[in-house]
C-alpha cells in the first residue's frame, strides 16, 4: 500500500517535471521563432560562425580578424577567449554591433580542469570512479563559468586501441563500456541539472566519430572500418552523452571509409539527429570544412561549405567558409533555407538554454572569478581524484609504501617539475610554479630533511649526461631510490603521435645505472599514453603509473608513495610488450586459430608472433594495491536467463592484506557462439568499493538482455539465444568463471 503511494507520488512528480519542461520548451520555441522572424539571412548565417580569439592557440592561423568580424555582426561564437574581463569586453562589442542583440557563446577546451587542473582524462578514467569523474567536470565547469566561459569542447569520448596516437591522453581508453560510463558522468558534471544555473557550462561531445582509429596511430589519418565495428565499439560513448542530455557535438577531422566525418550525412543527420534524436547543435572541429578540399571531396571552399551544411553541420569552427559562401549557396539552391534555419535555431536554442538572452554575461564578475579559481574545495577535489587515478603496476617485496625513516634518493627529470605535471590540454592551468611538484609533496610528508635528496640526473629527451653523477652519488647513500620520469606533456595530445613509445631520451640508461647500485628502485611515471615498459618491468622493483596528475599531482604521488593513499586505479588501456603488438586490446576476437600461449601443444600455424607472446605486459583493468583481494564464491542466480529477463551475478571479495583499500570489481561476458564472431570477453559491469582489511563483501551485479546485444548478421541489434560465459575479478584477466544460457 505504502509502496503504491510512493510510486504514485514519484509518477506525479515526474509528470509535473515533464509538464514544466514542455512549458519551458514552448516558451523557448515562441521566443526563438519570434526572433528568427526578425532575422535576415545574413544574421542567421552569423549564428553558424565561430572564430578564434587570440587567447589560446589550438590550431593553424587563418588570418581572419575576429574583432573586425564581431564589429560587422558576423559572429555567433568565439573560442579561446577566457577571463571575465576579456569575455565581457568581447560580449559588449558584439551586443553593440548586433542589431537584434544576440549574444555570443564563448567556447573553450576545458578538458580536465580549468585553472585547478585534474589528472588527464585517461588518468581520471583509471580511477574507475564515476562520481569522482563527475565531480572533476563539475569543478571545471564552475571555474570556467566564473571566468566567462559558456561552453566546453569536452568530453572527448574517442575509443582508441593505439597508444601511438597522442590523443589517447584526452580520452577514457580502449573500452566501450567504461568509456560510455565516463562520457555520461562527464556530461552530467559539466552541465549539471539545469543549464540556466550560472555555474555550469554546455558540454560538447567529440570527435564524432572514430577519430581514435586513425591508421597507425598517426593523428588526422584515415579511418576505415565496418559499420558493425563503428556501431558496436566506437559509437556507444557518443550515444551515452546524448542520453545524458549533452548540448553539442563536434565532428572529427578523419574520414571513415572514404567520407570525411564533417561531410557525413550518415553520421550527422541519419545517426545523430534522426536515429538518436539529438536536439543540440553540431560544430566542426578547427577548420574541418576547409580540410574537405585536401581530403579530396570538395572542389573549392563553396563546395566544402555545401557538403558540410547538407551533412548537418550547424556551426563552423574558425574556417570562415560558411560566412563567405552560405548565402550564395542558398541563391544557387545548393543548400536550403530550411537547413540554414535549422542550424541557426539549434545554436539559438543553446544560447537560450544557457540563459544568455536574459544575461549575456551569465553573472560573471571579476570578484566571482577570483573567489572561484583554485579555491580550497577545488584543490581538495583535484587531490582526491589524482589519488584515485594512481595505478600501481609492480611492487616486488612490498618495496612500497615507503617509510619516513628510510633514506630515499628522489631522482629524475620530473622530480621537481611543475610544468609537465598538469599534462597537455590543461586549459588555463598555471605551468609556472603553481602546481605541487613531487619534491614539494614529499617535503610535506618527510620532515627530517636528512632522509631525502632530490636530483634531476637526466633530462626527458636531451641526452646531456653532466647531471648524472651527482644524482648517482646521492642514490648510492640511500636505502631506496625513486625515479620520477616520463614524457614531456606536449608529447601527448593533439598532433603528438609517436612511433616509439619507450621512455624517451636516456632515461632508461640512467635507470640502468641506478639499478647497478643494488638498491631497490621505484619508478614513478608521468605520461599520457601506455608506454612500452618491458625492460622497466624486468628491472625495477616497483612501478607507479601517475599519468599527468594535475595541480595537486605532487601531493598525490607523495601520499601514494608513503602509503597515505592506497593506490586503487586500474588501467583503462592495455600496455603492450612492444610496439609491434599494437593494436592490442583485451576484447579482441578469438580467430580461427587461437594461440593458447607457451603451453599450447601446437606452436606453429597459430595466430601469434614468433618473437613475442600475444599477451600484453599489463592488461586492461589491471592495477595493484598495497593490500590484496581474493575473489571467491561466484554465483549466478540461475543457469538460464529468459530473453528480456535478468540475471544476478554475485561474488565474494575479501581484503586479505594489511591495508584498507579500494578495489574495482569487474564483470566480463563472452557470447560463445553468435551469428557473427564475438569478442573473447567484454566488460559489462564494474563497482569500486572500499573494503577494510580482513573484511569480506558480497558484490552483486545485474545482467540484462541489453548487456548481451550486438549487431547480428543482419545488422539488427539483438541478443541471440545460446551460451554465455561470465568472468569476474580485479582485471580483464579475471579467472573466476561461470556460464549461463539465454533462452527464448
Ligand atoms: C582541435 C581539436 O581537435 C579539438 O579537440 C579542439 O576542441 C579544437 N581544436 C578547439 O581548440
Amino acid at each position: 500500500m505504502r509502496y503504491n503511494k510512493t510510486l504514485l507520488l514519484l509518477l506525479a512528480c515526474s509528470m509535473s517535471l515533464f509538464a514544466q519542461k514542455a512549458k519551458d520548451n514552448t516558451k523557448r520555441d515562441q521566443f526563438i521563432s519570434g526572433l528568427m522572424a526578425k532575422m535576415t539571412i545574413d544574421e542567421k548565417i552569423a549564428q553558424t560562425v565561430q572564430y578564434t580569439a587570440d587567447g589560446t592557440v589550438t590550431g593553424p592561423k587563418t588570418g581572419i580578424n575576429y574583432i573586425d568580424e564581431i564589429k560587422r555582426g558576423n559572429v555567433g561564437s568565439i573560442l579561446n577567449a577566457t577571463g571575465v574581463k576579456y569575455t565581457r569586453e568581447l560580449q559588449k562589442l558584439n551586443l553593440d554591433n548586433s542589431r537584434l542583440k544576440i549574444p555570443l557563446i564563448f567556447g573553450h577546451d576545458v578538458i580536465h580542469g580549468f585553472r585547478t587542473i585534474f589528472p588527464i582524462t585517461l588518468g581520471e578514467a583509471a580511477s574507475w570512479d564515476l562520481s569522482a569523474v563527475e565531480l572533476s567536470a563539475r569543478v571545471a565547469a564552475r571555474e570556467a563559468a566564473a571566468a566567462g566561459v559558456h561552453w566546453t569542447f569536452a568530453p572527448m569520448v574517442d575509443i582508441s586501441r593505439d597508444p601511438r596516437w597522442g590523443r589517447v591522453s584526452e580520452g577514457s581508453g580502449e573500452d566501450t563500456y567504461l568509456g560510455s560510463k565516463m562520457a555520461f558522468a562527464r556530461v552530467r558534471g559539466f552541465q549539471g541539472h539545469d543549464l540556466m544555473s550560472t555555474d555550469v557550462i554546455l558540454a560538447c561531445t567529440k570527435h564524432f566519430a572514430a577519430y581514435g582509429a586513425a591508421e597507425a596511430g598517426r593523428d588526422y589519418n584515415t579511418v576505415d572500418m565496418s559499420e558493425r565495428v563503428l556501431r558496436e565499439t566506437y559509437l556507444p560513448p557518443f550515444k551515452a552523452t546524448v542520453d545524458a542530455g549533452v548540448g553539442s557535438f563536434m565532428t572529427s577531422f578523419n574520414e571513415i571509409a572514404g567520407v570525411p566525418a564533417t561531410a557525413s550525412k550518415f553520421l550527422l543527420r541519419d545517426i545523430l539527429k534522426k536515429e538518436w534524436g539529438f536536439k543540440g547543435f553540431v560544430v566542426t572541429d578547427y577548420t574541418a570544412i576547409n580540410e574537405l578540399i585536401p581530403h579530396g571531396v570538395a572542389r573549392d571552399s563553396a563546395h566544402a561549405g555545401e557538403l558540410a551544411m547538407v551533412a548537418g553541420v550547424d556551426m563552423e569552427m574558425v574556417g570562415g567558409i560558411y560566412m563567405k559562401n552560405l548565402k550564395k549557396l542558398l541563391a544557387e539552391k545548393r543548400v536550403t533555407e530550411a537547413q540554414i534555419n535549422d542550424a541557426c535555431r539549434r545554436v539559438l536554442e543553446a544560447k537560450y538554454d544557457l540563459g544568455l538572452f536574459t544575461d549575456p554575461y551569465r553573472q560573471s564578475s571579476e570578484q566571482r572569478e577570483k573567489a572561484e579559481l583554485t579555491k580550497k574545495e577545488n584543490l581538495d577535489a583535484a587531490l582526491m581524484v589524482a589519488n584515485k587515478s594512481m595505478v600501481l603496476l609492480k611492487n616486488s617485496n612490498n618495496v612500497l609504501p615507503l617509510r619516513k625513516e628510510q633514506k630515499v634518493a628522489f631522482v629524475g627529470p620530473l622530480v621537481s617539475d611543475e610544468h609537465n605535471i598538469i599534462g597537455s590540454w590543461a586549459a588555463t592551468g598555471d605551468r609556472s610554479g603553481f602546481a605541487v611538484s613531487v619534491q614539494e609533496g614529499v617535503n610535506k610528508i618527510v620532515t627530517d630533511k636528512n632522509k631525502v635528496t632530490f636530483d634531476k640526473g637526466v633530462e626527458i629527451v636531451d641526452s646531456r649526461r653532466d647531471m648524472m653523477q651527482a644524482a648517482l652519488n646521492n642514490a648510492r647513500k640511500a636505502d631506496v631510490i625513486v625515479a620520477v620520469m616520463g614524457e614531456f606533456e606536449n608529447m601527448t595530445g593533439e598532433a603528438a603521435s609517436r612511433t616509439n613509445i619507450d621512455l624517451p631520451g636516456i632515461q632508461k640508461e640512467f635507470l640502468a645505472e641506478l639499478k647497478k647500485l643494488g638498491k631497490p628502485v621505484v619508478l614513478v611515471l608521468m605520461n599520457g599514453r601506455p608506454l612500452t615498459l618491458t625492460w622497466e618491468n624486468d628491472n625495477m622493483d616497483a612501478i607507479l603509473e601517475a599519468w599527468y596528475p594535475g595541480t595537486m599531482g605532487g601531493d598525490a604521488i607523495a601520499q601514494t608513495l608513503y602509503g597515505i593513499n592506497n593506490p586503487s586505479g586500474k588501467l583503462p588501456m592495455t600496455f603492450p610488450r612492444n610496439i609491434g603488438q599494437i593494436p592490442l586490446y583485451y576484447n579482441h576476437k578469438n580467430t580461427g586459430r587461437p594461440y593458447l600461449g607457451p603451453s599450447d601443444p601446437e606452436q606453429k600455424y597459430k595466430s601469434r608472433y614468433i618473437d613475442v607472446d600475444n599477451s600484453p605486459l599489463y592488461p586492461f583493468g589491471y592495477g595493484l594495491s598495497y593490500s590484496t583481494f581474493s575473489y571467491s564464491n561466484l554465483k549466478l542466480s540461475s543457469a538460464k536467463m529468459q530473453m528480456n529477463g535478468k540475471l544476478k551475478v554475485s561474488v565474494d571479495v575479501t581484503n586479505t592484506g594489511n591495508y584498507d583499500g579500494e578495489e574495482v570489481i569487474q564483470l566480463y561476458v563472452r557470447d560463445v557462439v553468435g551469428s557473427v564472431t564475438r569478442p573473447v570477453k567484454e566488460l559489462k559491469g564494474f563497482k569500486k568499493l572500499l573494503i577494510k582489511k580482513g573484511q569480506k563483501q558480497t558484490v552483486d551485479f545485474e545482467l540484462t538482455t541489453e548487456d548481451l546485444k550486438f549487431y547480428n548478421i543482419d545488422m539488427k541489434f539483438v541478443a541471440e539465444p545460446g551460451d554465455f560465459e561470465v568472468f569476474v575479478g580485479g582485471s580483464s584477466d579475471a579467472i573466476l568463471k561461470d556460464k549461463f544460457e539465454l533462452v527464448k
Side-chain angles (χ1 to χ4, degrees):
M1 188 62 184
R2 163 176 283 163
Y3 173 74
N4 281 346
K5 264 193 189 158
T6 320
L7 208 69
L8 281 175
L9 202 69
L10 274 174
L11 205 69
C13 280
S14 56
M15 275 170 69
S16 91
L17 276 177
F18 189 71
Q20 185 57 42
K21 184 91 195 123
K23 211 165 127 199
D24 290 349
N25 279 350
T26 315
K27 239 171 95 186
R28 182 181 76 175
D29 291 349
Q30 281 167 355
F31 174 85
I32 290 173
S33 298
L35 179 63
M36 284 182 67
K38 291 182 231 150
M39 290 170 81
T40 62
I41 191 69
D42 291 314
E43 284 166 337
K44 288 177 183 171
I45 291 170
Q47 291 309 305
T48 70
V49 173
Q50 181 186 59
Y51 291 125
T52 180
D54 38 27
T56 322
V57 180
T58 59
K61 293 209 165 42
T62 58
I64 297 171
N65 184 322
Y66 67 102
I67 298 280
D68 291 348
E69 294 300 315
I70 294 176
K71 284 187 188 152
R72 290 188 196 114
N74 278 352
V75 189
S77 172
I78 288 289
L79 82 151
N80 291 333
T82 63
V84 169
K85 194 165 171 291
Y86 192 18
T87 52
R88 284 189 85 99
E89 271 168 24
L90 292 181
Q91 190 66 286
K92 181 164 183 317
L93 185 71
N94 166 66
L95 294 173
D96 290 347
N97 288 283
S98 162
R99 186 179 68 93
L100 295 166
K101 306 273 170 262
I102 301 175
L104 291 170
I105 177 171
F106 290 104
H108 195 63
D109 290 289
V110 183
I111 310 294
H112 53 109
F114 179 73
R115 182 66 53 78
T116 303
I117 303 301
F118 286 70
I120 54 164
T121 320
L122 189 65
E124 286 194 348
S127 75
W128 293 57
D129 190 319
L130 300 173
S131 47
V133 166
E134 183 172 335
L135 177 67
S136 156
R138 174 58 48 83
V139 171
R142 256 189 350 232
E143 288 195 350
V149 173
H150 308 144
W151 175 29
T152 175
F153 305 123
M156 189 278 217
V157 305
D158 296 309
I159 296 298
S160 184
R161 295 161 163 182
D162 196 329
R164 290 172 296 186
W165 192 47
R167 302 198 81 167
V168 297
S169 60
E170 291 174 63
S172 293
E174 75 187 36
D175 186 59
T176 306
Y177 182 88
L178 179 65
S180 301
K181 297 283 176 201
M182 290 287 159
F184 189 95
R186 288 204 167 93
V187 172
R188 280 290 166 91
F190 287 128
Q191 295 195 164
H193 292 292
D194 181 7
L195 283 172
M196 284 279 176
S197 88
T198 50
D199 60 356
V200 301
I201 53 179
L202 193 79
C204 179
T205 308
K206 70 187 188 186
H207 307 83
F208 197 53
Y211 183 32
E215 278 178 6
R218 201 182 75 211
D219 209 358
Y220 318 123
N221 204 6
T222 310
V223 173
D224 197 359
M225 64 173 61
S226 67
E227 188 179 337
R228 176 172 288 110
V229 172
L230 177 71
R231 285 185 178 272
E232 268 177 29
T233 305
Y234 290 87
L235 294 191
F238 290 94
K239 172 66 165 54
T241 66
V242 174
D243 295 342
V246 74
S248 67
F249 254 60
M250 185 188 291
T251 65
S252 56
F253 288 122
N254 56 286
E255 67 160 78
I256 308 177
V259 184
T262 304
S264 175
K265 181 175 162 290
F266 171 65
L267 280 177
L268 305 180
R269 287 208 192 275
D270 300 352
I271 295 188
L272 178 62
K273 292 183 177 175
K274 227 184 185 158
E275 197 177 310
W276 296 352
F278 173 65
K279 298 278 178 280
F281 71 97
V282 175
V283 65
T284 66
D285 204 341
Y286 204 106
T287 59
I289 300 185
N290 313 59
E291 292 167 26
L292 297 178
I293 301 171
H295 264 300
V297 293
R299 289 181 300 278
D300 50 28
S301 56
H303 188 200
E306 174 188 346
L307 290 175
M309 180 49 72
V310 170
V313 167
D314 303 308
M315 183 186 278
E316 179 188 15
M317 183 183 283
V318 177
I321 285 184
Y322 271 7
M323 179 44 71
K324 205 164 132 223
N325 297 287
L326 274 187
K327 199 172 170 185
K328 192 161 164 278
L329 288 169
L330 179 64
E332 290 168 3
K333 297 200 168 28
R334 289 163 67 184
V335 302
T336 65
E337 195 169 350
Q339 285 163 348
I340 297 178
N341 279 341
D342 182 52
C344 170
R345 176 176 280 276
R346 285 171 184 263
V347 174
L348 293 176
E349 281 174 358
K351 292 183 176 181
Y352 183 97
D353 290 347
L354 284 162
L356 287 169
F357 284 103
T358 326
D359 172 10
Y361 304 99
R362 289 187 96 226
Q363 291 173 32
S364 66
S365 70
E366 285 181 272
Q367 222 176 354
R368 177 177 151 207
E369 182 179 38
K370 196 159 170 264
E372 183 62 46
L373 300 193
T374 66
K375 70 181 183 195
K376 183 170 180 307
E377 183 187 333
N378 300 356
L379 295 174
D380 289 349
L383 175 59
M384 183 272 285
V385 180
N387 269 330
K388 281 177 179 277
S389 70
M390 298 284 149
V391 185
L392 184 62
L393 297 174
K394 182 178 178 187
N395 194 18
S396 294
N397 305 318
N398 294 329
V399 55
L400 291 177
L402 302 171
R403 284 167 282 116
K404 284 190 225 171
E405 56 281 8
Q406 285 173 310
K407 201 162 166 37
V408 186
F410 287 88
V411 298
L414 290 167
V415 81
S416 313
D417 170 273
E418 289 156 342
H419 171 97
N420 292 285
I421 197 163
I422 64 172
S424 60
W425 282 117
T428 62
D430 186 342
R431 295 193 188 275
S432 64
F434 182 69
V436 181
S437 68
V438 174
Q439 177 168 359
E440 284 170 308
V442 169
N443 279 334
K444 285 185 206 165
I445 294 171
V446 185
T447 41
D448 182 350
K449 297 299 161 248
N450 297 318
K451 295 287 182 201
V452 285
T453 54
F454 301 93
D455 292 279
K456 215 168 176 189
V458 291
E459 299 284 0
I460 296 176
V461 284
D462 114 24
S463 53
R464 58 184 278 209
R465 288 180 169 75
D466 55 329
M467 300 178 295
M468 221 192 258
Q469 264 324 314
L472 287 170
N473 288 344
N474 277 331
R476 205 167 282 122
K477 293 180 223 142
D479 302 318
V480 184
I481 301 162
V482 176
V484 189
M485 299 187 165
E487 300 176 288
F488 270 122
E489 54 84 17
N490 63 7
M491 294 174 92
T492 56
E494 189 178 351
S497 297
R498 294 179 65 195
T499 60
N500 170 346
I501 54 170
D502 285 346
L503 265 182
I506 57 167
Q507 295 181 91
K508 211 195 281 187
E509 179 188 322
F510 181 41
L511 286 178
E513 291 301 317
L514 293 166
K515 162 114 178 137
K516 282 188 202 153
L517 302 178
K519 311 282 170 80
V521 188
V522 176
L523 174 61
V524 176
L525 289 166
M526 286 189 217
N527 48 292
R529 55 157 63 81
L531 297 174
T532 37
L533 300 170
T534 301
W535 181 90
E536 290 79 352
N537 184 60
D538 290 344
N539 290 283
M540 299 292 102
D541 297 273
I543 305 179
L544 179 68
E545 176 55 79
W547 314 105
Y548 297 110
T551 304
M552 303 301 283
D555 279 333
I557 290 174
Q559 291 184 4
T560 308
L561 290 174
Y562 282 93
I564 298 162
N565 172 53
N566 187 355
S568 62
K570 301 275 186 175
L571 294 179
M573 219 174 155
T574 304
F575 276 46
R577 292 178 187 278
N578 69 19
I579 201 128
Q581 289 183 307
I582 295 170
L584 187 67
Y585 48 96
Y586 83 94
N587 50 349
H588 57 85
K589 300 291 183 70
N590 203 35
T591 81
R593 293 188 175 189
Y595 176 55
L596 307 178
S599 62
D600 195 330
E602 290 292 340
Q603 292 285 316
K604 188 84 181 154
Y605 305 118
K606 291 289 184 127
S607 180
R608 60 177 293 238
Y609 301 100
I610 54 171
D611 55 351
V612 72
D613 194 60
N614 284 357
S615 61
L617 183 64
Y618 305 120
F620 172 83
Y622 167 83
L624 303 171
S625 157
Y626 293 151
S627 209
T628 44
F629 298 94
S630 84
Y631 286 73
S632 60
N633 209 13
L634 174 62
K635 277 200 242 150
L636 306 187
S637 54
S638 162
K640 290 195 195 303
M641 177 173 166
Q642 294 297 321
M643 191 63 86
N644 302 324
K646 288 176 181 164
L647 190 83
K648 204 172 109 188
V649 179
S650 69
V651 68
D652 290 344
V653 186
T654 311
N655 182 337
T656 47
N658 297 321
Y659 298 83
D660 297 345
E662 286 186 298
E663 169 70 336
V664 181
I665 299 111
Q666 302 159 42
L667 168 77
Y668 296 85
V669 171
R670 176 178 190 175
D671 186 343
V672 183
V673 178
S675 59
V676 294
T677 60
R678 307 293 305 135
V680 292
K681 59 176 68 161
E682 291 176 288
L683 184 69
K684 292 294 175 189
F686 64 87
K687 285 190 178 163
K688 184 163 189 169
L689 297 176
L690 174 70
I691 307 179
K692 295 213 180 272
K693 62 179 172 196
Q695 290 201 349
K696 177 170 88 183
Q697 279 197 31
T698 302
V699 184
D700 293 328
F701 294 97
E702 189 178 77
L703 276 176
T704 69
T705 317
E706 280 308 301
D707 296 314
L708 310 179
K709 287 186 175 170
F710 63 98
Y711 287 89
N712 73 359
I713 188 88
D714 303 317
M715 281 304 284
K716 298 232 158 57
F717 192 60
V718 294
E720 292 180 341
D723 289 339
F724 289 81
E725 291 172 345
V726 174
F727 310 82
V728 177
S731 93
S732 60
D733 270 356
I735 41 169
L736 278 191
K737 184 174 159 187
D738 206 338
K739 60 178 197 292
F740 68 91
E741 187 189 353
L742 179 68
V743 290
K744 267 208 175 134

